[in-house]
Amino acid sequence: MDLHTQDARPHPDKYLYGPRQAWFAFAMTIGLMVFDYIDRQVIVSMFPHMKLAWGLSDKQLGSLVSVVSITVALGALPVALIADRTSRVRSIVVMATAWSLASISCMFTRNFGQLFAARAVVGLGEAGYGSVGGALIASHFPSRLRGMLMAGFFACASVGSVLGVMLGGVIAARWGWQAAFGVVGIPGLVLALLYLTVRDYRTVALTPRLDAATRSTGTAARAIARGLLRSRTMLWICIGGSMQLIVVSTVWSWLPSFLNRVHGMAADQAGVKAALVVLCGAVGSVVWGAVVDRAGARRPRAKLMLMALLCLSSLIVLATAFGEAQLQLGLSRQSQFALIAFGGFLMTCTVGPVAAVAIDVIHPGVRATGASVLALCQNLFGLAAGPFITGVLSDHWGLETALTAMPTFAVVAAVAFMAASRSYEADAKRAGEPLGDGGPVFPPAPRKALA
């Protein structure tokens, strides 16, 4: 039977196959998310070693982090299209195998060009995992749990980053920085094979218009562009989520180097201490996911308004922490680090809620494809931009000044979330309605919102 002739949409308040299958799928999916970000972030604590060994500039170091996010962004839509039309589980197995092998290959590189190319392949393997994995989780669980679960899923990016930063520094100090790539790549291969035991959800039936709109990357891109223009909520959260991730990726990528250069810590010690800040971010994403869910229980748009407030709070704390020398606050190193850790706790406030809001305004038949739009924007304009822009500013102004300036992107995020709050409730209501043959991929915004 053609998969596209079945309408497998579950009741929004029930489990798809039952709690046991749902929680098993969740555990396996977050496990791979951890290894995804271990392989991404293992490199940042090795920056001091690489700068010494190969004489790289900060711009080059930043590009080794950014290139992963760029290839993730470019590959996310094609991968999500394949996953939506075939199998989410098999797609995830292929992705995890590819990025793990590419990570292992990094240990055999001998110059910047080779390492840059290998890192690009790591990102190509990871492309689409966040959107496909998130769609799988969302489909297994009732809608009332999605905000918290999506926050937990994306919090595993922080956990993986913690382990990557910490392991990279420790392994590099003992066996050399190139060995770290091989050590962290192998476990992902094992988990990829085990993921075959996860139960997939059946492909949701599409109308002829939606089927045609998602048949190729080109047609999907055009349909998505039209959809973004119609759905103000999706457009604004793509902007807001990306801008806040510039702040997150900057701190995650450059804090080990900051502690090494400014505080004079050894590279492995700086990696371990920076990992504590990333861990604060992991905790923060879960906490703020639950808080934002509760804030929107009676008034859904309050979720976006609270996210805007939290973004501005992270700006104030981080700019004060990194700029304490320029501001002449006279903070001790312990006090400065505590302030940075608190900023790390605040800055991940949008990670889970943004994904949940996106799923709320996306038609179930193209959930992974629609979520890939958010993933593309966040990777290309958020995760990729932060490390590279910081590296360029650091080469010109110094790392401390660059880190002080970068949190100002949170202002743009706050403005975008406030704008999204105006159309969110109407767009979420329309996403649950069956789309007609002429309907767009995303639901149209109400006339008042377009006025």
Side-chain angles (χ1 to χ4, degrees):
M1 180 181 291
D2 187 351
L3 289 174
H4 290 272
T5 65
Q6 304 177 60
D7 192 344
R9 276 177 281 180
H11 191 282
D13 295 324
K14 295 181 180 180
Y15 289 94
L16 181 59
Y17 299 117
R20 181 176 297 181
Q21 289 283 352
W23 287 108
F24 177 72
F26 180 72
M28 293 294 290
T29 307
I30 65 173
L32 275 180
M33 190 65 156
V34 169
F35 285 110
D36 180 333
Y37 274 81
I38 287 177
D39 291 352
R40 282 199 198 195
Q41 293 297 118
V42 68
I43 197 170
V44 301
S45 59
M46 298 185 282
F47 279 1
H49 297 284
M50 298 169 66
K51 196 174 185 69
L52 181 63
W54 288 354
L56 303 181
S57 67
D58 285 351
K59 181 173 70 174
Q60 289 176 309
L61 292 173
S63 69
L64 291 172
V65 179
S66 297
V67 70
V68 175
S69 297
I70 291 172
T71 51
V72 165
L74 296 177
L77 180 56
V79 169
L81 283 173
I82 294 171
D84 263 335
R85 300 178 69 86
T86 56
S87 166
R88 275 59 53 185
V89 169
R90 288 197 293 270
S91 298
I92 287 172
V93 170
V94 171
M95 283 187 277
T97 301
W99 86 58
S100 298
L101 289 174
S103 181
I104 294 170
S105 73
C106 292
M107 70 184 295
F108 302 108
T109 59
R110 293 294 178 265
N111 54 55
F112 171 76
Q114 293 176 0
L115 182 57
F116 185 87
R119 291 283 292 174
V121 178
V122 170
L124 197 59
E126 295 174 351
Y129 180 70
S131 56
V132 177
L136 187 72
I137 291 172
S139 296
H140 268 278
F141 286 89
S143 60
R144 67 180 184 275
L145 299 176
R146 284 177 188 163
M148 181 182 65
L149 291 171
M150 295 302 289
F153 174 55
F154 288 104
C156 288
S158 301
V159 175
S161 295
V162 168
L163 294 174
V165 171
M166 185 170 59
L167 290 173
V170 172
I171 295 170
R174 296 189 178 184
W175 298 299
W177 61 269
Q178 286 175 298
F181 294 111
V183 172
V184 302
I186 294 173
L189 290 175
V190 177
L191 195 58
L193 295 177
L194 293 175
Y195 201 87
L196 288 168
T197 59
V198 172
R199 192 169 180 181
D200 205 351
Y201 64 87
R202 288 184 293 178
T203 302
V204 175
L206 301 180
T207 65
R209 178 62 176 268
L210 282 174
D211 183 71
T214 59
R215 188 162 292 279
S216 70
T217 302
T219 56
R222 289 191 291 273
I224 286 167
R226 291 194 299 270
L228 284 175
L229 293 176
R230 293 185 177 98
S231 176
R232 292 293 181 91
T233 305
M234 192 70 185
L235 177 62
W236 285 118
I237 65 170
C238 283
I239 294 172
S242 300
M243 294 301 100
Q244 187 64 16
L245 279 183
I246 287 180
V247 181
V248 175
S249 62
T250 291
V251 176
W252 284 5
S253 299
W254 286 104
L255 186 57
S257 294
F258 171 83
L259 296 173
N260 173 256
R261 298 181 197 179
V262 178
H263 289 188
M265 292 184 184
D268 57 335
Q269 295 176 343
V272 171
K273 198 160 188 179
L276 295 176
V277 175
V278 181
L279 182 60
C280 289
V283 175
S285 64
V286 176
V287 170
W288 296 122
V291 170
V292 169
D293 268 353
R294 175 165 292 191
R298 293 185 178 179
R299 192 184 179 201
R301 65 176 298 191
K303 294 194 288 189
L304 290 147
M305 298 170 70
L306 178 58
M307 288 159 61
L309 179 61
L310 291 170
C311 288
L312 294 176
S313 299
S314 70
L315 159 65
I316 295 170
V317 173
L318 288 171
T320 302
F322 287 116
E324 65 91 19
Q326 292 94 325
L327 297 172
Q328 298 180 341
L329 299 177
L331 297 176
S332 65
R333 288 185 175 181
Q334 291 79 5
S335 298
Q336 184 187 31
F337 182 79
L339 205 56
I340 293 172
F342 182 54
F345 176 73
L346 286 170
M347 70 184 181
T348 55
C349 58
T350 66
V351 174
V354 161
V357 169
I359 285 177
D360 284 345
V361 298
I362 295 172
H363 182 261
V366 285
R367 185 165 279 154
T369 303
S372 73
V373 178
L374 178 63
L376 187 152
C377 292
Q378 288 184 323
N379 278 281
L380 193 58
F381 303 114
L383 295 175
F388 183 76
I389 294 173
T390 306
V392 172
L393 295 179
S394 178
D395 285 337
H396 287 84
W397 298 345
L399 185 56
E400 194 169 8
T401 302
L403 288 174
T404 303
M406 291 300 290
T408 55
F409 281 97
V411 174
V412 183
V415 172
F417 290 133
M418 289 299 296
S421 69
R422 299 175 59 189
S423 57
Y424 169 54
E425 294 180 14
D427 282 353
K429 181 179 179 180
R430 284 167 172 76
E433 299 174 355
L435 296 181
D437 193 34
V441 172
F442 301 105
R447 294 183 180 275
K448 289 183 178 179
L450 295 173

